[in-house]
Amino acid sequence: MDTEHRVILNVGGIRHETYTHVLKKIPATRLSRLTPNLANYDPVLNEYFFDRHPGVFSMILNYYRTGKLHYPTNVCGPLFEEELEFWGLDANQVEPCCWMTYTQHRDTQDTLAVIESLDLDGDPPTQEEIAKKFGWEDDYYTGNMSHWQRLKPRVWALFDEPWSSKYARVISFISVAFILASTCSFILKTDPSFQIPDIDVFYSLRVVDEGGFKNYHKTIGTDKPLTSPHPYFFYVDLICNIWFTIELLIRSLFCPSFHKFVRSPLTIIDVVSTGAFFFESVLHAILIQTGSLVTLDFLSNDLCAQLIRSLFCPSFHKFVRSPLTIIDVVSTGAFFFESVLHAILIQTGSLVTLDFLSMICVLRLFKLTQHFSGLKILIQTFKASAQELFLLVFFVILAIVIFAALVYYAERSQLNRENQFTSIPLGLWWSLVTISTVGFGDMVPKTYLGMLVGSLCALMGVLTIALPVPVIVSNFSNLYSHSQARAKLPKKRRRVLQA
Amino acid sequence: MDTEHRVILNVGGIRHETYTHVLKKIPATRLSRLTPNLANYDPVLNEYFFDRHPGVFSMILNYYRTGKLHYPTNVCGPLFEEELEFWGLDANQVEPCCWMTYTQHRDTQDTLAVIESLDLDGDPPTQEEIAKKFGWEDDYYTGNMSHWQRLKPRVWALFDEPWSSKYARVISFISVAFILASTCSFILKTDPSFQIPDIDVFYSLRVVDEGGFKNYHKTIGTDKPLTSPHPYFFYVDLICNIWFTIELLIRSLFCPSFHKFVRSPLTIIDVVSTGAFFFESVLHAILIQTGSLVTLDFLSNDLCAQLIRSLFCPSFHKFVRSPLTIIDVVSTGAFFFESVLHAILIQTGSLVTLDFLSMICVLRLFKLTQHFSGLKILIQTFKASAQELFLLVFFVILAIVIFAALVYYAERSQLNRENQFTSIPLGLWWSLVTISTVGFGDMVPKTYLGMLVGSLCALMGVLTIALPVPVIVSNFSNLYSHSQARAKLPKKRRRVLQA
Amino acid sequence: MDTEHRVILNVGGIRHETYTHVLKKIPATRLSRLTPNLANYDPVLNEYFFDRHPGVFSMILNYYRTGKLHYPTNVCGPLFEEELEFWGLDANQVEPCCWMTYTQHRDTQDTLAVIESLDLDGDPPTQEEIAKKFGWEDDYYTGNMSHWQRLKPRVWALFDEPWSSKYARVISFISVAFILASTCSFILKTDPSFQIPDIDVFYSLRVVDEGGFKNYHKTIGTDKPLTSPHPYFFYVDLICNIWFTIELLIRSLFCPSFHKFVRSPLTIIDVVSTGAFFFESVLHAILIQTGSLVTLDFLSNDLCAQLIRSLFCPSFHKFVRSPLTIIDVVSTGAFFFESVLHAILIQTGSLVTLDFLSMICVLRLFKLTQHFSGLKILIQTFKASAQELFLLVFFVILAIVIFAALVYYAERSQLNRENQFTSIPLGLWWSLVTISTVGFGDMVPKTYLGMLVGSLCALMGVLTIALPVPVIVSNFSNLYSHSQARAKLPKKRRRVLQA
Amino acid sequence: MDTEHRVILNVGGIRHETYTHVLKKIPATRLSRLTPNLANYDPVLNEYFFDRHPGVFSMILNYYRTGKLHYPTNVCGPLFEEELEFWGLDANQVEPCCWMTYTQHRDTQDTLAVIESLDLDGDPPTQEEIAKKFGWEDDYYTGNMSHWQRLKPRVWALFDEPWSSKYARVISFISVAFILASTCSFILKTDPSFQIPDIDVFYSLRVVDEGGFKNYHKTIGTDKPLTSPHPYFFYVDLICNIWFTIELLIRSLFCPSFHKFVRSPLTIIDVVSTGAFFFESVLHAILIQTGSLVTLDFLSNDLCAQLIRSLFCPSFHKFVRSPLTIIDVVSTGAFFFESVLHAILIQTGSLVTLDFLSMICVLRLFKLTQHFSGLKILIQTFKASAQELFLLVFFVILAIVIFAALVYYAERSQLNRENQFTSIPLGLWWSLVTISTVGFGDMVPKTYLGMLVGSLCALMGVLTIALPVPVIVSNFSNLYSHSQARAKLPKKRRRVLQA
Ligand SMILES: [K+]
Ligand SMILES: [K+]
């Protein structure tokens, strides 16, 4: 009879039986240390009572029996892990076939932590939480909160938590409207129908020998080779940027932690794009200011004209003192100054900088992140999928390099006058366009061998991109569906991490 | 010994044991209020009997033990929630790791409710349900239904519930045939091979000085600069629209609620598109009617001709009274009237309106919704995915604005004579075409920097669109698969919501 | 005390308890008819014993308790339905929330039935099964199988079941090789580099008046406006078609059921494509035969020449009897015969028929279905997804009609000289190309409004196609993964339907 | 009473009951052989005790009861199979409805085995494992490991296991840098802006008859029809290839098994691409060397010039001995030698070989596999999906052949001067481009019939490719997610296969 070696474990009312030596298999756990001296030992029924989940316990006991830890699939991961913890077992010992189950709920926890950190609309925080956030725990508990300490969180919520109050929503709405207005202005001012010509004034000097007397002619003309956006756009930009500046000032004044605020990428974008606008405006104003001297040029000549005049004038002294000459000298100087400035600007690439500065404005769109939770989730997805994005780019680069080389040599292998693949770098562009199935058609293989390479490229492309994308998509839909699930719960239950 | 603090709960025959203090953890629930005075207390066995599902109860009891409410995954959500309700527990208290399980069956219920509302083919409704639908409960229960009250639902079913009878299917088939005929006519009449030239009659006047006597020549010519669809299309359209009008009248007469019927988008589309046809026809008829005066023009001149003639005529009196002059005056008047009318029409953009009106006809395709359940599910999917569609459009707009700006400046950064990116709005079109991987190839970057932007755009595009689409797809496949599952059940069991 | 109303049900050793009135809730079932007179009633323990699955029974009993039938998710559907059947319950009564579970395993059964019918490689059939298949059950059981009855199944297996033996694999391989050869010949013979010019001989007659004597000149020339494939292709085709004819004859002779064989689409394709080849060859031979008369034409003239000659000849009698005239008449007659034949052929569109006939050869590729199980699964997928394919085409047609109309009017709304959208049918092509994200770029909107329509079309396109595709994909992967799972089992266990 | 035929099975504390005859249903299993003589029979309770998982046992017993083996879905496959093994049952007997469950965990095991073989970063191997890997078990156990046997594994780890130490990471980094440098050089040297012209020297001879005295003119000119990459690229390539040679030598010296190392595809790629570089360089050097004789050509003429001169020279003897003639002869000979060499090279296609050799360098990118685990997984995915890839290619070929034929005849069916589909092979390219939704637009159907074929092709294309891709994608995501799950475990637990 083997009954004497058996042990009865009453777990939550259900009696499990096993041999005593089975429980010794995993040492230093709750079950390996069972002795009749324990309070939960019932000598009448000869059993140990544990107030735990009976169903899950059969998986625990099975671990002792078989030495293999499998996760049950009828209860969720955290529940099983809590049981494992109670029984003193290590969740890491899970069998490889259950690795996915094991990591899945860890991923869920990560997802939930991310959502918690996204600061989506929820229950308004308590006074205590606010004090903690602003670092005034001491003042809060001693009860002597200053007037400023009461005002600061309210203003901050007004500008940073659109869901907190009706007024916050209005301010958020205004902010979004200004971002959109500034972006529309940015887009539309490049459209030819919204541009006005820049009139360029030019003048020339011709020396004419009229009957022995050397005379000179000044010609003033206009030209319109350049256009500039309609000035109204400047006013729209100005108003928008004034709002952004005000917003930025208020935010920097009322933020919980100035250190953290300054380092946030959104603040940096804000400062740079607003700064870029004002810098550009001032620079432009200086250019116009110096450019306004151009009007003086109507009365002037360029330096060589001066020299010619001074050469042919009867009296140099008189010539120098004549008011016309003075004006001439001044305006010519101004012209040279402007030319030199312009030259320096071009030389140092400042005009390119101007282009670059105006392009920065488009980053302002990322400020919408503060106002739309969908965008927050998108950015969080890209952060969480950094590894998969790297993989995607890596696969794509590998594939395009290989296909670019193949198509380059394939198109050269045959006499082919219309060959468009004149270098591998151009082939890179073609193979990327083919792999992504965009297929602009600006470059197309003309030989049968090139077509074969193109076919492989198109098919491989589908795979190269199709493979890492689902991982990224599942990261997004994980975040999105959890945030949707959270939004359906009553506000009080939305906190992930409880005390 | 801790046995005296234990309590035995016999749930459906399975005995669960726990400590009494555990049950007190969640107050104001059925288990926290257990006393031996209850009818289900058995003093012999010292247990409480509950006639409930024993397996699910272990999850319930685990909630008491650990303070955490997890959903089991071996029974479906509604079953567990019914148990929660019985034990007086709040399903909202679910742990974050089970949020998805919690919301999933709520989504299923929403899906089922939507399918129920779609009015797909099912069991024919009972007399009582019909009376309820038409708002005649009182008459139904008192038993005095008028003849009209008996007829109305039948005619309505004939026109609105294609699955209700053989006749209804025939009418549905005719209706679909007319919609298709009207759409085919709409498409084909724009094809050049189905168009006939509009002959345009013109006339000119030339004054000739023949030997001192001023004479004038009238020239009549024809021109065919315009074409119009073959007149047969008009008859096809007419017949279709007469059917649509009849159908509309019958529906408006026999509908259960006129108020609801009038406000349905399908009715509005129907009224507008049929109205547009008749409005256009009448307007066209008027134009032709006035245009018929053009034939009179063969005998007339234009006003200046009249003036010239009257100037050169020997006797003004005689001239005015001559029949030729009268005809001339009349016809010229008609011509002016027509010209003015035409001018007004063009001026007020009525011709554009005509174009717009004929375009409305294409909306008639949405009337197919009444006849195809697949289309109903598609529209319902778009309704249910409004948020995700907004997200998709939002992501796409964000991405195209950023890439349009980048490609615009990238293509300007280098001297590039073939630059096609002359403005950011054009860049928006290019980046949308690239992001959606359509890639028409009408605009292509020419510089290496532009190509880099294009490459990023193509790759990002795949992601931007791939991220929100699966959510929409799952909404569709949810609706579709449930409707397919429902179609496989016997008709009687298809009702989702039971009494 | 409510214990007296309780009933104990010992199901497979686990004791379930409930109230007697609960079991009466669903009448006419095994549990509602329980009486102590039953053999499985144990008066000592006061319980009814049932030798069934205890876990599943708690779901059954829950149905009695709550009146709602839910499927458990820890056992597979068929197991639960067997239990339902044992307890006399109707699986149709399932709650809407479990509809998907309910239909899912029905779909699995359909999938398995399809795979069984696909006749994939499995255990060789027993003599009994073969006899059944060929309809010789009587002969088999009486034991008097003729020699023919023993041979027929073997030859059939040789040609129709490539997995049955080594020889069958060889024949299958030869068959595939001939199909590929015939397809390659079909493709390559259209390539210009494999074509030789057709020399076209022409002749003309000119009457010349030379010094009062009317003479006539015959000119013979050659022209090569047409090319025809290299004659070697004909021999390849001939050999292939001879094999196909032999194969077809053997198959028709040894098939289990001639009726079924003749009606199978593969046989029809085979007969039509082989027939088409021979018909075309014969027709071509006739044409060449008549065309060979063209050589005679070198000696002939056309009819008018004859007439002219007869007119100018000194003696009509002599002229008629001269051998040259006879040759002339014969050859001219031949020429006319050929011309008329050619005219008739063209007139009746026979040449188009020839084109059509040669196109039929491509259908021969479907004969590969017999040799590749992947192709069988693909075709089965399309059959099983007929409804979803219809939905896809329906959605696409709806979308392209709407966008074609929109883009047609959008491009007309603005003065736009390069408008490529001259009719809605052309717009249909454009919108399909855009919706499928192919984007050839042969038609591109030029106005901003047209671009907006194009953008919507590209985005909607992604959705329109993305929605029904996953359903079809899941049909395929269901079939594919089950057939893969089956292939991993030992051959004996692969039969789905057991006796 | 049927109680006497019953048997009680106490499995892990839970008592299951059934009839004795039920257990006899499946012979030769543990349960069919139960007798009261067994040690686990308890005569008091009249039960058999088994220390196994009680929940899973109800599925086992159900197999006896119903004769159908279903997998439970609340425990993972391997656990259930271990139970099956214990009870002496055959897992192959699984019902068709559970085939997927049955194969799923087999696939998981395959996936895990693949990951184990990928040699991803893990715990450093023990001395014993290293000895086993290098085949020195005997030496290891006897304890007399030579100095070389201690060094070899360390150097190998340094070059082949980047995760093993800091130095290994540095070497891996250098190796990757050289691969990238060599690839960049390969790409950039084809770019026109990095190419310098090859100056080609030519000379001609003209005989001039000047006043009776026949004279000859030599002309020397330069031409630059060819360009060659900048010489710096050669130095970059040289340095890279020297590193690769060193690395290859070290690896071949320190590899655990030279046989296995030589046969690995990566070694072959390495040897071929490095060899190709040196072969090409040497060949090029020879060509230049012979090309340096070209400088001598400045002083020479071609053969005909010599002949002409010798013909017109007054004294042949004198002429032959003149130093100029000697130089002429030598240089002309050199020129002929060079020409012949060049001709031979071209003739034997060596220049094409050179192109092919330089293309091999791109294969060097696959050496990155050693350094990036993502690439390892990609290659493993393609290996594991060989069957599905074949299916994809097979479906695509089938579809493109059919659509190529259809579009070819469709475009011929109508008079169509702009027909681009001049042969079926070109149609193949078009249909592949359409099916993959790349849509270059270089070939576009012009007739309505051709457009219809194009539309079907685009739609079918989506399906043809969409069907097999998810299977490949799931193979990848299976491998990827398991490798990610593994990376989250502590290093010690990462081993899949335990002793
Ligand atoms: K394209
Ligand atoms: K495309």
Side-chain angles (χ1 to χ4, degrees), chain A residues 437-439, chain B residues 437-439, chain C residues 437-439, chain D residues 437-439:
Chain A
T437 75
V438 170
Chain B
T437 74
V438 170
Chain C
T437 74
V438 171
Chain D
T437 75
V438 170

Side-chain angles (χ1 to χ4, degrees), chain C residues 232-400:
Chain C
Y232 282 145
F233 286 114
F234 174 73
Y235 300 117
V236 172
D237 284 358
L238 190 65
I239 294 164
C240 291
N241 276 283
I242 286 167
W243 167 264
F244 295 139
T245 313
I246 292 166
E247 205 189 332
L248 198 60
L249 287 175
I250 293 173
R251 275 167 176 276
S252 65
L253 221 64
F254 293 91
C255 62
S257 153
F258 186 73
H259 223 72
K260 222 169 138 190
F261 174 73
V262 164
R263 284 182 183 167
S264 118
L266 284 182
T267 311
I268 294 165
I269 285 173
D270 217 357
V271 169
V272 169
S273 61
T274 312
F277 170 75
F278 287 115
F279 176 73
E280 196 191 332
S281 302
V282 167
L283 205 79
H284 203 249
I286 291 169
L287 283 174
I288 283 168
Q289 213 56 33
T290 43
S292 69
L293 291 175
V294 171
T295 49
L296 284 175
D297 288 352
F298 281 92
L299 304 166
S300 85
N301 285 317
D302 58 41
L303 192 62
C304 66
Q306 298 279 356
L307 291 171
I308 291 162
R309 265 211 281 172
S310 64
L311 274 169
F312 292 99
C313 74
S315 149
F316 184 73
H317 218 74
K318 221 169 153 185
F319 169 75
V320 165
R321 282 180 185 168
S322 87
L324 234 164
T325 311
I326 292 164
I327 289 168
D328 254 16
V329 168
V330 168
S331 65
T332 309
F335 173 75
F336 272 105
F337 173 74
E338 193 200 339
S339 303
V340 166
L341 197 83
H342 205 250
I344 290 167
L345 284 171
I346 285 169
Q347 214 58 31
T348 53
S350 292
L351 283 183
V352 171
T353 314
L354 280 181
D355 258 21
F356 181 74
L357 282 181
S358 61
M359 207 181 67
I360 275 174
C361 297
V362 92
L363 290 178
R364 198 168 273 157
L365 280 171
F366 285 105
K367 285 178 67 183
L368 293 174
T369 323
Q370 285 177 324
H371 308 281
F372 294 98
S373 60
L375 201 53
K376 277 185 195 172
I377 289 169
L378 182 72
I379 286 170
Q380 220 54 45
T381 304
F382 284 137
K383 264 191 201 166
S385 315
Q387 208 183 337
E388 287 82 23
L389 280 172
F390 168 76
L391 214 67
L392 173 65
V393 171
F394 182 58
F395 287 177
V396 166
I397 287 177
L398 217 73
I400 63 171

Side-chain angles (χ1 to χ4, degrees), chain A residues 51 73-74 190 442 480 488, chain B residues 18 65 73 107 388 424 444:
Chain A
D51 189 26
T73 57
N74 54 346
T190 65
D442 54 340
Y480 184 75
K488 278 179 190 156
Chain B
T18 191
R65 282 186 192 119
T73 56
D107 289 347
E388 286 83 23
I424 295 184
V444 177

